[in-house]
Amino acid sequence: MVTEPTDSTAGLEEKEGAPVSFAETALRLGGKSEEEAQRTGAIDEADDQVERMFQPQYQTVNSPIHQAVWSRTLPVELFQSHDVETAENVQTVMDDSVTLVKEHRNQGTLLDSNNKISEAVLDDLGGVGYWGLLVGREYGGSGASFRSFAPFLTRMALVDGNIAGLASVHGCIGAVDPVRTFGSPEQKQRFLPGLARGERISGFALTEPGAGSDLTALKTRAERHGDHFLVNGEKLFITNAMPGRTIGLVCLVDDAPAVLICELPDEENDQVRFNKYGLYALKQQHNQGIIFKDFRVPLENLLQPSQGNGLTIAYHGLNLGRVALIANSAASMRIMMAGMLPWADYRVTYGEKIAQRELVRRRLGRLAGLIVACDALVAWGSELIDQGYRGEMECIIAKIFGSEMQKEAAIELCMKTHGGRSFLHGHLIGDNIHEYLAPCIYEGEGEMLGMAFFKSLVKDHGKRYFEPVGKALQSAGIKKPNMLNPLHLWALKGALVPYSGWMASQYLWPRSWSQLPAMPESLKQHAMFAIDQLQKSSKQISGAMRKHQLKLADRQCRMSELSTRVQSMVVMLCTSLYAARQQDQVVVDAADVLCQQITLELTGRRPPDRFYRDITRLGETITDGGFTSLAGIESDEILMNY
Ligand SMILES: Cc1cc2nc3c(=O)[nH]c(=O)nc-3n(C[C@H](O)[C@H](O)[C@H](O)COP(=O)(O)OP(=O)(O)OC[C@H]3O[C@@H](n4cnc5c(N)ncnc54)[C@H](O)[C@@H]3O)c2cc1C
């Protein structure tokens, strides 16, 4: 049982350390241009600095996934989430917020005349404490743990996904997390109470027209003039950017990325202009570009982390945002399922309801598995953050799985089941398709994140065993090593010893895992398979590193493939452990079919009949009302009924 209060700044440590960027060294040794080596090195250095903020036991090398792949013993308990006990004051805020949004929805007052969430709703939410959930009680918030906050977003998103999304924009990636985690006591005192009341709800301004995936290309700059900065530059795609809001602005200060907390003026003016464009996604929120021209920001609004810089701050908040994102997906997929059921029961083709058909039942079974996996990753990721883990790889999995599966659910499962009606105005899919797709891009595009995941996973192994080899080759002037050439072998003799030792240990000593909890047999088999695969993946990954050596950074397809496989194994382990502690047999069955599917993907085998029997039987149970967590979700009316 996880109890309040815990917070996502737990585990942070202030520590000195001389930064050495492995990525930069590797790229330089691999013959990349000085510019690319330096730019990648800057990102890698920001990553190292985030790392040093955490106590050793919470750093990436000791994270659940890193240990699962590289350690001799896989710590099963680190993949196991627990029930959460939400503090009474937090529960009240959550209940009041949901009630309030439902009331506005029922009265038709959620949206303003521009079809955006109305200011009155945002104000009312401030009144019940919604915006202060992640702010400590000493600053007027309710101090919710992240483990309570994340699944609450699923609950809120069942009522309104945009309002749930805004809580993450404000609390995770917006100004709240940067200030509460990196602000000085004075900055916390100055900003947090207002942010908790929602007087100026916040957003985060990182992306620029020329800097999205490549954050080293940031151009927006703040220069000191007396007691303030003058900001010049342009931001793009900023959610919640509008007059009167607060933003965490990532810009260059003294040539390094930094975060300024900026209170945007109440009216557009010569210093701050908004670049308005039509955007298909987040259509009920304000997402605009911002153009700064000599915009004055007080010097004391600069956040100064004891380690790192503005990217450090951005990475920290993005981790929370990524778990929040999958929490929203868990709700969207439930809403999709709730809409598929009455339709499948209504639609008759060839004399039979489509709910009776295997294809439709298979889709429902698949969707149930995806929902359970999302719930599992929400519980797991948020608990790790509260425990103090950095959680970068774990949160990346949450974000990629949540966004990619929401896309699959929308297109492969929901759209196909609704047929042509999916494209009618007023249909869930037609009206929201961009909302369902955009998470694949915002907070980092999935495949780019998958590569970042892989780089984090191999960084320590590379530094430990491959960097010495690269350096030995460089100093011997060898560009292409040939292990049959005695001169090359001689040049590498010292550098190869540690790696040879690691390889030998992989073959000589069997690996183990800590004890599995009591689990239904089917789930136990899945957990064991995932553990076995995770442990075997170290040799596969190391093999790719050995094969491609310093060119591995260019082998993006291989990195992406290996990354995706490890991610799937982690989803499987977490989902089987999560489902094993649920009382509901349908949840267990849903986890079982999802894990069966992952096994088939990982092994490349054709689905046996048993799998189709299991997944369609699950679909049948769902059509009979067996998926209880859909309770209370209202589905849209059937369009073009006949
Ligand atoms: C609805 C929405 C809301 C958003 N909200 C915010 C917000 O609140 N704040 C904010 O700061 N940003 C926000 N963004 C921006 C978002 O985070 C970026 O769009 C995203 O990070 C990708 O950046 P980009 O669009 O510039 O893609 P680009 O950098 O143009 O990249 C496009 C694609 O090129 C490929 N690519 C790029 N580099 C490489 C490489 N090295 N190797 C291989 N492939 C590569 C990848 O597939 C990548 O996705 C939002 C975006 C959207 C759509």
Side-chain angles (χ1 to χ4, degrees), residues 93-352:
V93 172
M94 292 175 170
D95 293 345
D96 290 352
S97 303
V98 169
T99 306
L100 189 121
V101 175
K102 276 186 181 163
E103 278 168 14
H104 274 289
R105 189 188 60 185
N106 295 343
Q107 289 161 14
T109 50
L110 266 185
L111 303 180
D112 63 18
S113 55
N114 296 318
N115 266 338
K116 307 284 181 195
I117 303 289
S118 83
E119 289 298 305
V121 172
L122 302 181
D123 288 348
D124 289 353
L125 282 166
V128 295
Y130 184 66
W131 306 114
L133 277 166
L134 289 179
V135 176
R137 296 180 80 159
E138 65 276 35
Y139 299 109
S142 48
S145 67
F146 197 56
R147 177 70 182 90
S148 287
F149 180 78
F152 163 66
L153 291 186
T154 303
R155 184 178 162 208
M156 177 57 93
L158 287 174
V159 188
D160 191 279
N162 279 289
I163 289 174
L166 270 176
S168 164
V169 170
H170 173 68
C172 302
I173 63 168
V176 171
D177 184 68
V179 174
R180 71 176 188 159
T181 311
F182 300 95
S184 65
E186 183 277 326
Q187 287 170 326
K188 289 181 188 173
Q189 199 57 59
R190 192 151 46 94
F191 291 116
L192 288 177
L195 289 169
R197 288 191 295 272
E199 281 163 10
R200 306 174 67 93
I201 62 167
S202 60
F204 197 63
L206 180 60
T207 307
E208 298 182 1
S213 306
D214 177 5
L215 293 176
T216 63
L218 286 178
K219 283 206 178 113
T220 301
R221 193 171 279 280
E223 281 171 355
R224 289 170 219 272
H225 281 258
D227 61 355
H228 58 267
F229 290 104
L230 287 184
V231 178
N232 283 286
E234 180 171 354
K235 293 287 168 182
L236 184 64
F237 290 135
I238 310 308
T239 306
N240 210 18
M242 60 181 294
R245 298 285 204 257
T246 299
I247 51 163
L249 174 71
V250 185
C251 58
L252 297 173
V253 172
D254 304 330
D255 288 330
V259 173
L260 292 182
I261 301 299
C262 301
E263 298 194 330
L264 297 175
D266 290 337
E267 300 280 338
E268 218 172 349
N269 59 30
D270 287 345
Q271 286 79 49
V272 178
R273 300 221 151 272
F274 293 95
N275 178 12
K276 305 168 190 78
Y277 35 74
L279 190 70
Y280 289 109
L282 300 185
K283 56 183 187 294
Q284 291 173 4
Q285 298 178 38
H286 295 271
N287 182 297
Q288 309 192 88
I290 318 176
I291 300 161
F292 300 105
K293 193 164 183 310
D294 289 340
F295 174 49
R296 290 166 68 103
V297 180
L299 288 185
E300 57 269 22
N301 286 18
L302 173 70
L303 297 182
Q304 294 181 294
S306 56
Q307 289 280 346
N309 59 34
L311 294 184
T312 315
I313 298 171
Y315 287 159
H316 193 271
L318 279 169
N319 271 351
L320 309 194
R322 287 170 182 157
V323 177
L325 183 150
I326 190 175
N328 216 319
S329 303
S332 302
M333 291 189 215
R334 282 180 165 87
I335 293 170
M336 289 179 209
M337 186 186 266
M340 285 162 74
L341 291 175
W343 164 249
D345 186 54
Y346 173 80
R347 185 54 158 173
V348 173
T349 66
Y350 301 100
E352 189 105 74

Side-chain angles (χ1 to χ4, degrees), residues 73-93:
T73 305
L74 185 147
V76 173
E77 63 285 357
L78 292 187
F79 289 85
Q80 174 83 67
S81 58
H82 302 82
D83 286 340
V84 60
E85 194 176 87
T86 300
E88 219 178 296
N89 69 311
V90 173
Q91 193 61 55
T92 305
V93 172

